[in-house]
Amino acid sequence: MEMKKITVLGAGIMGAGIAQCAAQAGFEVSIRDMEDRFVEKGLTTIKANLERAVSKGKMTADDADTIMDRVTGTTDLTMAARDADLVIEAVIEVLEIKKQVFQELAAICKKETVFASNTSGLSITEMAVAACRPDKFIGMHFFNPVPVMRLVELIKGFSTSDETLGLAKAFVDKINKTAIVVKEAPGFAVNRILCPMINEAVFALAEDIASPGDIDNAMTLGANMPIGPLALADMVGLDTLLLVLESFHEEFGEDKYRPAPLLRKMVRAGYLGRKSGKGFYDYTIQKGK
Ligand code: 3HC
């Protein structure tokens, strides 16, 4: 099957990034979210990224327009997905919500449409069953910021067919990223290693081991990470990080995955990182608000 039309569910940071990459690779892309304002925000993010590339001389204004023309936004799931060859779900990390979306999609899409979930660590097999097409379901995990990060983890569920894996690999190749195939296990490969490290940085902060800036300096200057773990937590979103850690804690039943209480408190206080303006750092100051 030749893939032409991609539907992305969720116009947040990840959804917008995935939609942008697909449109840049020549796919027709429909991006769907629950409310107009979310859809608009996603489209604005893509436009801003393309404009930045134009201003840096990395693409022409005409190219940017052509790419933008390939993207449509809607709140209507049927309109977004009925003719899709591949649906990539990037909605909130709550299994029941994802399963519900896939159940709705099952009734809308063509029977050969491949479903992919950008989950950070939830069960692909459980979603695949809810989607009523276990062989045509795969995990397709992108990294933030999607237009920059070169990796995509592909996760085979219990019944994912080799054909589906092949189509997913071809898609990843076409959008110019590298795929690794990972066993279905909490957090797959990247988050299994990365999120406990970030969590440890939050514990270290709560224990007053060092300031946020110095904890980040420790890992940028001492371990050559491109940004420190607390800045990275702000970028990923503290709510997303908490959900990932909670799912590890529940699945493994091991205390080493217990989310740092400070992380939970910050999420409760609405400190979600860059997207809310405040996390371990204050982004409202930079924006002059
Ligand atoms: N969207 C699109 N492009 C972006 C961007 C964004 N949000 N942020 C930065 N960029 C681009 C810039 O335009 C620039 O492009 P250019 O090289 O073509 O000029 C390039 O990235 C470098 O940006 P900057 O020079 O402004 O900044 P940095 O050198 O600090 O790089 C970074 C930014 C690449 C994001 C770097 O900080 C980094 O690598 N951070 C770590 C990212 C990471 O670890 N991500 C994984 C998170 S875990 C995850 O996503 C999994 C999930 O399930 C939780």
Side-chain angles (χ1 to χ4, degrees):
M1 177 175 73
E2 200 206 336
M3 290 195 179
K4 288 189 178 140
K5 164 85 190 277
I6 312 295
T7 297
V8 179
L9 303 182
I13 316 175
M14 300 303 284
I18 296 165
Q20 180 186 331
C21 292
Q24 278 182 236
F27 292 101
E28 192 191 324
V29 183
S30 182
I31 184 162
R32 187 263 182 176
D33 211 315
M34 300 292 280
E35 292 180 32
D36 282 328
R37 63 193 169 109
F38 300 140
V39 174
E40 282 312 313
K41 194 161 181 219
L43 294 174
T44 307
T45 303
I46 299 173
K47 203 157 189 280
N49 279 345
L50 296 175
E51 278 167 4
R52 195 171 51 213
V54 172
S55 70
K56 284 181 179 169
K58 301 208 162 176
M59 70 172 68
T60 66
D62 279 353
D63 286 343
D65 287 345
T66 308
I67 293 165
M68 210 59 220
D69 284 348
R70 292 189 192 119
V71 186
T72 49
T74 179
T75 53
D76 185 330
L77 188 63
T78 306
M79 249 177 65
R82 69 181 155 211
D83 54 351
D85 299 309
L86 168 66
V87 179
I88 305 174
E89 167 276 316
V91 307
I92 188 171
E93 280 292 278
V94 177
L95 188 60
E96 287 315 311
I97 296 179
K98 289 188 191 272
K99 280 163 69 176
Q100 171 71 36
V101 173
F102 282 119
Q103 260 159 17
E104 287 173 37
L105 275 177
I108 293 170
C109 294
K110 305 178 281 186
K111 65 177 188 323
E112 57 274 18
T113 306
V114 170
F115 289 175
S117 172
N118 176 52
T119 179
S120 310
L122 300 172
S123 170
I124 300 303
T125 299
E126 210 171 326
M127 283 185 267
V129 170
C132 303
R133 56 183 80 195
D135 57 321
K136 294 194 175 59
F137 199 104
I138 193 159
M140 198 181 270
H141 185 217
F142 292 81
F143 298 87
N144 185 15
V146 181
V148 181
M149 305 301 284
R150 290 166 298 161
L151 185 75
V152 178
E153 287 178 316
L154 293 179
I155 306 99
K156 279 182 84 171
F158 191 76
S159 311
T160 307
S161 68
D162 287 342
E163 189 193 354
T164 299
L165 179 63
L167 287 166
K169 276 183 178 166
F171 173 74
V172 173
D173 206 38
K174 188 126 193 249
I175 61 170
N176 234 344
K177 297 197 187 289
T178 299
I180 58 167
V181 181
V182 193
K183 263 197 200 157
E184 179 166 15
F188 315 131
V190 175
N191 280 345
R192 169 76 179 270
I193 300 163
L194 187 64
C195 294
M197 189 273 290
I198 298 176
N199 196 34
E200 203 56 41
V202 185
F203 273 114
L205 177 68
E207 286 169 29
D208 213 12
I209 302 275
S211 66
D214 279 350
I215 287 174
D216 279 348
N217 281 337
M219 298 310 286
T220 52
L221 306 180
N224 249 5
M225 284 179 59
I227 56 172
L230 300 176
L232 185 53
D234 280 354
M235 212 176 92
V236 167
L238 271 55
D239 51 343
T240 302
L241 185 65
L242 180 61
L243 286 168
V244 172
L245 287 162
E246 277 173 341
S247 78
F248 285 7
H249 196 209
E250 199 187 309
E251 283 268 335
F252 290 112
E254 285 183 40
D255 218 36
K256 69 175 180 176
Y257 298 108
R258 180 172 68 98
L262 175 60
L263 179 67
R264 199 182 293 284
K265 270 190 205 160
M266 290 176 73
V267 171
R268 284 185 181 145
Y271 280 54
L272 306 183
R274 282 177 189 248
K275 64 182 164 192
S276 71
K278 281 185 187 168
F280 294 104
Y281 299 95
D282 188 343
Y283 302 89
T284 57
I285 297 168
Q286 284 168 340
K287 288 181 200 157
K289 279 186 200 163

